[in-house]
Amino acid sequence: MVLEKEDDGQEMARLDEGSLVPALAIEMPNEKVGQTSSKKGGGWVTAPFILGSSLASSIASYGVTIDLLQFLVRRFNISNIRASQITNIINSVTYLAPVAGAVLCDSYLGCFLTISVFTFISFLGTSMLAVAAWLPSMAPPSCDGQLGSCKPSSPTQFAFLCLAFSVTTLGGAGTWFTYVTMGANQFDRKKEQERFVSYYFITTTVSTLVPSTVIVYVMDNVGWNWGYGLCAVLSAISLALFLPAKWFCRDARPEGSPFINLARVVVSAARKIKFRLSVKKEDYCHGSGKHSDLTDSFSFVNKAALITGGDTHLDGSIAKRWRLCTIQEVEDLKTLIRLFPLWSTGIYLNIANAVQTNLTILQSLAMDRSLGPSFKVPAASFQVFSYISMGICLPLIDRFFYPFSRMLVRRPLTLLHRIGVGHVLVIVGLAAMACVEARRLQVMHQRGLAVAGDHLDAVVPMSALWLVLPLAILGAGSAFYLPDQVNLYYQEFPASLKNVGTSVCLLAVGIGYYLSTTVVRAVQKVTPWLTDDINSGRVDNVYWILAGLEGLNFLYYVLCAKLYKLQSSG
């Protein structure tokens, strides 16, 4: 059917949602993107393989970077500033690379092959790091502590080190959130998918605790070679645990890049910008997707599915792929547009987390970290209390909080509600951190440590364990918003973009860590609150600023959530 172009000034016709005119089904080649290779298989029998492999892989990945700064300084004689810059680059790429891995998985490889190949790559990378730490010829001689005696690493040694970290980072790109997508794919019910995601984050919590305690101890007290060798062994164990899952799991077969289909929608809609929408369903390309009707939201892209002259063959199949798209493809693009504002609310959560993590280390260094007569808690280990809280809260939330809230409000909390609870807890946690810091400064003044410069680098006689409660609250907030963000994106993203959907959380983390440095520089430029000596600054005010900005971010989240529900229903 040929539709005439609309005249200038003519109003666009709206779609008639209630029309009962039979739709014209157009056959589409390669339409079923992301279909499972077998209706059988899957289920909880696959969980031990996937979660066990994920646990070993995550411990190895976190172990590589847990003491990276000291490794670069002490093993390769790299200056502190340069080592810090290299560390930030590696950490940022580590968070951003999984998005590229997810695209490759969704487009060409599928979950099983992606995890298998990239776990092997990770094993190669960690093995190279172990070699760099083991062989004397792969690093310069150690400094003897005398000025000017440090010999820098040779170009060959530094190039091998960079190659080893590049290979290791590449290995992590294809595994981090591919595990959670593959695991969720084994279940048909949303409740079981959500439970698996909770279990995945429990294993993730454990995978952060082990490197922060065991691996960092091995590196500092036994040797770098043993530490990185342990990471290589864990990568090999991860691969050995995962390969048997081939006989039990479902695996989606990718049908090419889904981003091409999204680009086709944009191009098709732009090429038909002068056509008007029809009120008849048969004037649109329906295909065989789950969407049979176009929604009213973002109607400017609906023209991509409008059938015009020459768009189809005589048998009804599509003749011009860059001029006509199916309703399903149009609605997939709309889903991404609707989800973008919700996703953007996670960026500030990660900005606040990055700033808080660094400030917590500074606070703990200026407090009494003694635990008993002869043991001091390392300053960098205090963030572990947040991970422990998250690991404890995840099963409690699933088993007790959700059933109790269902009885209380007489309806189950949606994923959007749960993420909102996480936002509120983050605000409370940041405010609690501000209160602890204000009390620390008060004790400092009461003890006279702020007189005549004696406060410089002074340790305030106040237990650093006061930080545990605020960190526990922040960990509880993470237990609400992190798994449910993944659940939301997994359930709402188009079927052909499931891995991208679960990995966009890491994209928000990477962007958040980049922007956190901008926030810190802005505070330093505008206020005197952040100084080299925490005792002469006002870190409590910084926390109040972070809490206030998260309050605004929460209001933005509520608005985005309401708009998302409204647009989805329309």
Side-chain angles (χ1 to χ4, degrees), residues 295-362:
T295 57
D296 287 338
S297 61
F298 307 112
S299 58
F300 57 89
V301 297
N302 288 351
K303 293 181 180 181
L306 186 65
I307 303 174
T308 59
D311 287 348
T312 61
H313 296 294
L314 293 178
D315 60 358
S317 60
I318 294 180
K320 299 178 180 179
R321 301 283 293 168
W322 287 88
R323 187 174 175 85
L324 180 64
C325 303
T326 65
I327 290 177
Q328 180 68 57
E329 292 167 342
V330 172
E331 291 301 317
D332 284 350
L333 178 61
K334 289 184 182 182
T335 298
L336 297 183
I337 297 174
R338 285 193 291 265
L339 283 170
F340 177 79
L342 278 173
W343 169 81
S344 67
T345 63
I347 294 177
Y348 181 77
L349 282 173
N350 290 290
I351 292 175
N353 178 67
V355 176
Q356 170 267 315
T357 299
N358 291 325
L359 292 182
T360 299
I361 295 175
L362 297 177

Side-chain angles (χ1 to χ4, degrees), residues 115-125 235 239:
I115 294 175
S116 301
V117 171
F118 281 87
T119 302
F120 180 73
I121 294 174
S122 182
F123 167 72
L124 292 179
S235 296
L239 184 61

Side-chain angles (χ1 to χ4, degrees), residues 16 184 229 265 277 286 305 341 355 425 479 482 494 510 512 562:
D16 184 3
V265 174
L277 293 172
H286 288 259
V355 176
L425 287 175
L482 269 178
K562 288 186 175 181

